[in-house]
Amino acid sequence: MQVVKHISDLQTILNIKREEGLKIGFVPTMGALHEGHLSLVMIAGEQSNFVVVSIFVNPTQFNDKGDLDRYPRDLQKDVDLLSTSACQLIFAPEPEEIYPEPDTRQFNFGQLEQVMEGKFRPGHFNGVAQVVSRLFDIVQPDKAFFGQKDFQQLAIINEMVRKFNLPVEIVSCPIIRETNGLAMSSRNMLLSPEQRLNAVHISATLFEAANKTGELSVEELCEWVINRINKNEFLNTEYFEIVNEMTLLPVKSWDENCKKFGCIAVHCGKIRLIDNMEFGVRSA
């Protein structure tokens, strides 16, 4: 496994691999890697011949500088973790390598970026689109692998690929949870032991709520989830919505003919955690 920091070195290696007929799999990350990331790398190894993992904390997708400053960084730990995985090349650039000039591009994803994360983190998805499109241009992968925990981000990236006809296949990979149910996240390592214990209440509430779809209306269930989580003194719900998988718009009734996902963002102290889960079943 090699670690490179410069685009020229990366592309020299990848050009050789393409000439050998290898298919390139790509897992973009912001580091602070965990088992969830490793599951993406494993799937990438199963579906491609040569796996590239990028480690880059993208400043343009943080609308809160404090959040950017707090984001965990430990490149050597990440390299050690990947050394026993299917990863064959790590791309760990500095910001000036990705953005030699300020990226002023503005993307428009319509309603997909105006709800949930987009509503509470203005500019976030524009930054995501900037960095992912830039990385796609640099790596030129055949397939790119993203986790479903970032449910709205996945919808945005799929729309970007469709809208700009980018020559890459997006592979959606399932959420990986800790044994207690908490969705794995790089931010989890910022939680104190007491906060971590209480953060489990988020996924536990979602699992319980998913079993109540026959008992409560959509509106009643949303209220139930928010009230239940906010009763925990360590947690404060930013939003919880049950949305159409394709449009991300809130559903009004269980009878709507679409896959429905409950999406949530919760503050645990200063740490912001997100999760999602499928609710109900597709109507006949």
Side-chain angles (χ1 to χ4, degrees):
M1 187 181 71
Q2 294 177 267
V3 181
V4 299
K5 292 181 174 293
H6 298 291
I7 294 170
S8 57
D9 295 333
L10 173 84
Q11 293 181 336
T12 296
I13 295 168
L14 292 183
N15 286 339
I16 293 171
K17 299 305 175 182
R18 288 192 191 91
E19 288 173 3
E20 294 173 354
L22 302 186
K23 297 295 184 182
I24 309 299
F26 179 44
V27 181
T29 82
M30 292 205 300
L33 303 183
H34 49 70
E35 289 297 325
H37 295 107
L38 293 184
S39 73
L40 302 182
V41 176
M42 181 184 71
I43 295 170
E46 293 169 349
Q47 296 192 24
S48 52
N49 310 117
F50 191 84
V51 179
V52 180
V53 175
S54 65
I55 297 175
F56 177 64
V57 181
N58 174 42
T60 72
Q61 70 190 68
F62 287 83
N63 60 318
D64 177 351
K65 187 178 184 301
D67 195 20
L68 173 62
D69 292 340
R70 282 191 297 271
Y71 199 85
R73 298 166 174 84
D74 190 337
L75 180 58
Q76 189 55 55
K77 184 178 178 181
D78 291 337
V79 171
D80 292 343
L81 198 60
L82 288 170
S83 65
T84 56
S85 75
C87 175
Q88 289 149 292
L89 181 62
I90 296 173
F91 180 45
E94 295 296 328
E96 55 269 22
E97 186 78 7
I98 299 298
Y99 303 117
E101 298 177 359
D103 193 337
T104 58
R105 291 176 297 162
Q106 292 294 315
F107 295 81
N108 182 0
F109 298 108
Q111 67 191 22
L112 289 180
E113 64 177 342
Q114 294 168 8
V115 298
M116 298 190 296
E117 293 294 288
K119 179 179 179 181
F120 288 92
R121 301 178 71 188
H124 169 67
F125 287 121
N126 198 73
V128 168
Q130 286 176 341
V131 73
V132 173
S133 62
R134 180 84 174 107
L135 288 169
F136 282 176
D137 185 55
I138 292 167
V139 178
Q140 296 182 18
D142 296 282
K143 293 185 177 185
F145 300 80
F146 293 86
Q148 291 175 356
K149 184 178 76 70
D150 294 296
F151 185 80
Q152 189 171 4
Q153 172 179 280
L154 188 56
I156 292 284
I157 290 169
N158 274 315
E159 176 62 13
M160 181 181 73
V161 168
R162 185 201 67 79
K163 189 172 185 177
F164 297 104
N165 197 29
L166 302 180
V168 58
E169 179 185 342
I170 303 301
V171 180
S172 172
C173 305
I175 295 174
I176 303 299
R177 297 184 180 277
E178 298 182 6
T179 53
N180 57 19
L182 180 65
M184 287 191 176
S185 169
S186 300
R187 298 173 190 270
N188 291 355
M189 66 180 64
L190 300 174
L191 299 170
S192 70
E194 195 172 26
Q195 287 175 326
R196 198 181 187 95
L197 193 64
N198 283 274
V200 175
H201 190 58
I202 301 169
S203 58
T205 300
L206 292 184
F207 280 116
E208 191 173 349
N211 292 323
K212 288 181 173 292
T213 55
E215 303 173 25
L216 301 174
S217 69
V218 173
E219 183 179 359
E220 289 169 340
L221 192 56
C222 287
E223 291 180 4
W224 183 88
V225 167
I226 292 169
N227 291 335
R228 178 92 169 206
I229 287 178
N230 288 350
K231 283 181 181 178
N232 185 303
E233 63 180 341
F234 286 84
L235 306 176
N236 182 39
T237 306
E238 187 171 81
Y239 69 78
F240 173 70
E241 294 185 17
I242 298 173
V243 302
N244 180 311
E245 178 189 32
M246 302 305 295
T247 68
L248 302 188
L249 292 177
V251 300
K252 303 297 183 185
S253 166
W254 298 120
D255 294 330
E256 292 184 32
N257 186 26
C258 62
K259 276 193 173 183
K260 305 165 187 71
F261 280 78
C263 300
I264 196 164
V266 178
H267 289 273
C268 185
K270 293 183 177 181
I271 310 307
R272 186 177 184 275
L273 304 173
I274 63 172
D275 201 349
N276 68 82
M277 197 171 293
E278 187 171 359
F279 274 62
V281 295
R282 187 185 296 274
S283 301

